[in-house]
Amino acid sequence: MKMKTPILKSSWLRVRWVALMLVLGSILTACSFLSTPKTIHVNQSLLQTAVTKKWTDIAQSMHDKGMVATDPKVILMPDKQRIGAQFDAVVETGLLGGVMRGKMQMSGVPVYNPEVQAIVLKEFAVDSFELNNAPSMLDGLARRAVSMMVGKKVGVDVPVYFIKREQLSFAGKEWLPEKIEVEAERLNITLQPHEQ
């Protein structure tokens, strides 16, 4: 019986050693997990829903600048890292009560605005304007005219996706959007941890 005691002690020490290593490994894994960037994936249909909900406000802002815009369709532009909207537009030219009607596409660069806790569009541009009932050779001229009249005025932090408070806080850390990437069918928002 005295001979078995050292063997039992060494077995017990091994079990304790293995348990300690497992606990330390779990702690290191958890710490690594908490410092690894997280990504929120927002598909195009979710962006479309968000823009449709906010369209009344966006359209009112455009109307104040002399443009009526209806039926928006979200366009993701990964090659330019922009998000666009295509819509039916009526633009007042200011010349003898004239108007231009057609299909317009505008786009902006997605950035995070912490004040409204949302991904917003900045640096708006009029990408295209296809006039109704006019030769296509006039489309470029119409796009330039609209850009000068309303293009730069419209792009005032238009929100396209609101980030929920719980998505920005986890395990005592604040997570802030560091990178926004536009893909063909979704928007990827990469969050980095910051101490609160």
Side-chain angles (χ1 to χ4, degrees):
M1 195 154 221
K2 287 184 179 178
M3 292 283 228
K4 292 184 178 179
T5 304
I7 294 172
L8 286 174
K9 274 188 176 178
S10 71
S11 293
W12 176 244
L13 286 173
R14 281 189 204 133
V15 168
R16 287 176 58 189
W17 178 253
V18 169
L20 180 63
M21 289 296 108
L22 287 173
V23 168
L24 287 175
S26 297
I27 291 170
L28 289 174
T29 301
C31 289
S32 172
F33 174 76
L34 291 176
S35 63
T36 304
K38 310 282 180 267
T39 303
I40 300 171
H41 304 287
V42 185
N43 64 33
Q44 185 172 2
S45 64
L46 192 56
L47 287 172
Q48 180 68 54
T49 300
V51 168
T52 301
K53 283 182 183 176
K54 291 293 292 176
W55 192 252
T56 302
D57 296 335
I58 295 168
Q60 183 59 51
S61 174
M62 291 177 165
H63 186 268
D64 294 344
K65 312 292 190 285
M67 178 172 28
V68 175
T70 56
D71 299 325
K73 180 184 176 202
V74 171
I75 309 284
L76 297 178
M77 306 163 70
D79 55 329
K80 297 180 181 176
Q81 287 301 296
R82 296 174 73 84
I83 298 175
Q86 188 178 71
F87 47 86
D88 294 325
V90 178
V91 181
E92 298 172 10
T93 63
L95 303 171
L96 303 172
V99 296
M100 291 187 288
R101 297 175 192 277
K103 185 72 78 178
M104 180 185 290
Q105 180 175 313
M106 295 182 77
S107 66
V109 176
V111 297
Y112 178 65
N113 182 331
E115 293 174 14
V116 292
Q117 211 169 306
I119 303 302
V120 301
L121 298 183
K122 289 185 175 271
E123 299 177 30
F124 262 75
V126 178
D127 300 321
S128 64
F129 194 143
E130 297 173 14
L131 290 168
N132 292 348
N133 304 318
S136 60
M137 64 182 180
L138 296 177
D139 291 346
L141 196 63
R143 183 189 61 77
R144 285 189 293 279
V146 171
S147 291
M148 290 189 318
M149 286 186 286
V150 293
K152 296 192 190 303
K153 298 177 189 175
V154 171
V156 183
D157 286 7
V158 175
V160 292
Y161 180 73
F162 288 91
I163 299 177
K164 296 175 185 162
R165 188 80 198 130
E166 57 268 19
Q167 292 175 301
L168 298 176
S169 181
F170 178 70
K173 292 191 178 205
E174 182 179 13
W175 295 74
L176 297 176
E178 297 277 323
K179 180 181 174 189
I180 301 169
E181 181 182 17
V182 179
E183 291 186 352
E185 295 181 5
R186 68 183 186 184
L187 184 66
N188 297 323
I189 306 163
T190 302
L191 307 174
Q192 288 281 5
H194 294 269
E195 293 298 332
Q196 288 182 334

